Amino acid sequence: ALRRTAFLTMSTRPGAAAVLLPAIASAVVVGASSYYLWKRIFKRAGTITVTGLNIYPVKSCRELPVDAAVPTVRGFVGDRIAQVTDANGKYCTPREKDKAKLFQVQAEVWGDDRLILRSPDVEESIEVDTGTEKTLTSQSVEVLGAPEKLTLLDYGDEAAAWLEKATGIPGCRLTGMGPSFDRSSVINPDQEEAVPTSDGRAPMSLADEAPFLLVNAASLKDLNKRLKARKKMPVDMRRFRPNVVISGLKPWEEDSLKRIRINGVEFMVWQRCGRCIMTTIDRDTLERGPEPLATLSTFRERAHGQRNFGVHLIPVAESIVDGSSLVAVDDDVEVLEYDEDRRKEWLELFG
């Protein structure tokens, strides 16, 4: 069943949020549902397909599944455009036990200048105006993955008070990208793979390392088989916080991709994604344990202790058409090029 029918448009204003509006007219919902159903029925055997899309409007908070998203050079419109910052100007992350409730904060992007925040611990939601740059203050803060502090807008006392109540983080603030925000991907020394662009730079949002993260459903299935063999509980895809989930590849075959295309938009497949303790936190209970990292360590650990799951994507800027490019659930994924060295490695390990 169609989870969400959404209209997304990209603002021409730098740093602006997405337009994310639920469909109102039943005819539109029925029409969209029929379109996706038709695509599923007539999908060719062996086709690689997009089976899930997520954005995370506030970094480290709950995922927002969508059926279509607008790609930009820095990521999907509305993805990781804000973060929760503590009283000392440092990013907040559920990696720290006292900040685990961030996972329960749901954020939605409405229009060019609205964030809606909800939490099971706060009775009322809050609407945050992110578009009044002239009346907002800015501050220099730490962003996870950024080599130096970045200047973000502060979205005010009301949002801060709501977040403190929802998360229990004293003095926290909601901060986000403004019109002058500028950040680029940098090489992860533990992966040692250059950014695949002509100048070695790739614009990005507040994400950890790259504009997009792609994961393979078959790899999760294989991981869960291994967990079961070790008498451990399975994990769901939320543990890995992907933007794009695909089906149609063999387990771990995503490692071997070098260049792909989805609905006309090309992506360079960059480095594999090393996993941290965020994956060991149950999204419903917030309980922590050694899995799935312990099991990943038995067969997915590479140099520098990187336990990989998923791959980072860098979009090819020239393939994105402003305002009309779209990536949707059930889109075909075309493999344009394989990385021969990584494919050889994958064949030796899993082929």
Side-chain angles (χ1 to χ4, degrees):
L2 192 65
R3 294 188 311 276
R4 177 188 298 271
T5 301
F7 298 105
L8 295 91
T9 62
M10 183 173 62
S11 172
T12 56
R13 183 164 50 84
V19 173
L20 179 54
L21 300 175
I24 299 174
S26 60
V28 174
V29 175
V30 171
S33 299
S34 299
Y35 170 71
Y36 286 113
L37 179 60
W38 180 88
K39 289 187 73 175
R40 290 183 180 122
I41 291 173
F42 291 97
K43 185 62 64 180
R44 301 184 307 278
T47 301
I48 307 169
T49 308
V50 175
T51 52
L53 292 170
N54 299 286
I55 62 172
Y56 306 81
V58 179
K59 184 181 175 75
S60 290
C61 292
R62 187 175 175 180
E63 73 285 344
L64 180 64
V66 295
D67 282 303
V70 175
T72 76
V73 292
R74 65 168 49 150
F76 284 136
V77 168
D79 185 50
R80 292 162 172 109
I81 59 173
Q83 73 169 29
V84 180
T85 302
D86 70 13
N88 298 314
K90 181 182 178 181
Y91 59 84
C92 294
T93 169
R95 292 170 178 82
E96 300 172 18
K97 291 183 179 180
D98 61 345
K99 298 176 177 62
K101 283 190 174 182
L102 285 167
F103 277 145
Q104 296 181 335
V105 175
Q106 176 74 75
E108 294 187 15
V109 183
W110 290 78
D112 277 346
D113 54 8
R114 292 290 186 275
L115 273 176
I116 309 295
L117 304 181
R118 297 182 176 85
S119 165
D121 292 317
V122 183
E123 185 175 350
E124 294 185 354
S125 62
I126 185 172
E127 180 177 310
V128 181
D129 184 352
T130 62
T132 53
E133 290 92 350
K134 291 182 180 179
T135 62
L136 296 175
T137 60
S138 60
Q139 57 174 307
S140 180
V141 304
E142 293 181 50
V143 174
L144 182 62
E148 54 190 29
K149 289 186 175 182
L150 299 174
T151 299
L152 300 182
L153 295 175
D154 186 302
Y155 293 134
D157 293 341
E158 186 179 359
W162 188 96
L163 273 173
E164 182 170 345
K165 186 175 181 180
T167 64
I169 303 171
C172 65
R173 311 288 296 183
L174 182 64
T175 56
M177 303 188 310
S180 59
F181 181 84
D182 181 35
R183 182 191 176 200
S184 296
S185 297
V186 296
I187 295 175
N188 181 339
D190 291 331
Q191 297 287 8
E192 298 180 331
E193 296 186 39
V195 180
T197 60
S198 59
D199 61 358
R201 292 170 51 87
M204 60 182 294
S205 63
L206 298 175
D208 285 359
E209 295 186 58
F212 298 89
L213 175 65
L214 177 146
V215 300
N216 176 9
S219 297
L220 178 64
K221 185 176 181 180
D222 181 70
L223 172 59
N224 280 328
K225 283 175 60 178
R226 294 170 188 265
L227 285 167
K228 182 178 180 181
R230 289 161 56 90
K231 297 181 172 20
K232 306 296 182 181
M233 294 297 292
V235 296
D236 62 46
M237 194 63 87
R238 290 179 296 171
R239 297 284 186 106
F240 301 100
R241 299 177 70 77
N243 293 115
V244 182
V245 182
I246 62 173
S247 296
L249 290 177
K250 295 179 180 179
W252 315 108
E253 192 178 1
E254 64 274 19
D255 286 1
S256 67
L257 304 176
K258 184 174 183 178
R259 191 163 57 97
I260 63 174
R261 181 165 53 212
I262 306 174
N263 195 25
V265 180
E266 292 187 21
F267 299 89
M268 299 301 297
V269 181
W270 183 26
Q271 62 189 11
R272 285 164 277 198
C273 182
R275 292 304 178 164
C276 69
I277 59 171
M278 290 265 281
T279 62
T280 68
I281 306 170
D282 185 289
R283 295 306 191 264
D284 298 316
T285 67
L286 302 184
E287 293 179 356
R288 297 166 186 253
E291 298 294 356
L293 285 184
T295 296
L296 283 172
S297 295
T298 65
F299 72 107
R300 289 291 292 171
E301 187 166 334
R302 297 177 67 237
H304 307 290
Q306 292 295 294
R307 293 157 289 189
N308 296 312
F309 189 104
V311 290
H312 290 130
L313 304 180
I314 303 293
V316 177
E318 294 77 14
S319 70
I320 297 175
V321 180
D322 263 7
S324 62
S325 289
L326 195 70
V327 173
V329 171
D330 287 320
D331 277 348
D332 290 348
V333 180
E334 303 172 70
V335 178
L336 303 178
E337 188 177 358
Y338 288 99
D339 184 299
E340 294 304 326
D341 291 336
R342 293 200 302 206
R343 188 157 185 81
K344 180 179 179 182
E345 179 187 337
W346 171 74
L347 287 168
E348 290 174 351
L349 293 173
F350 306 108

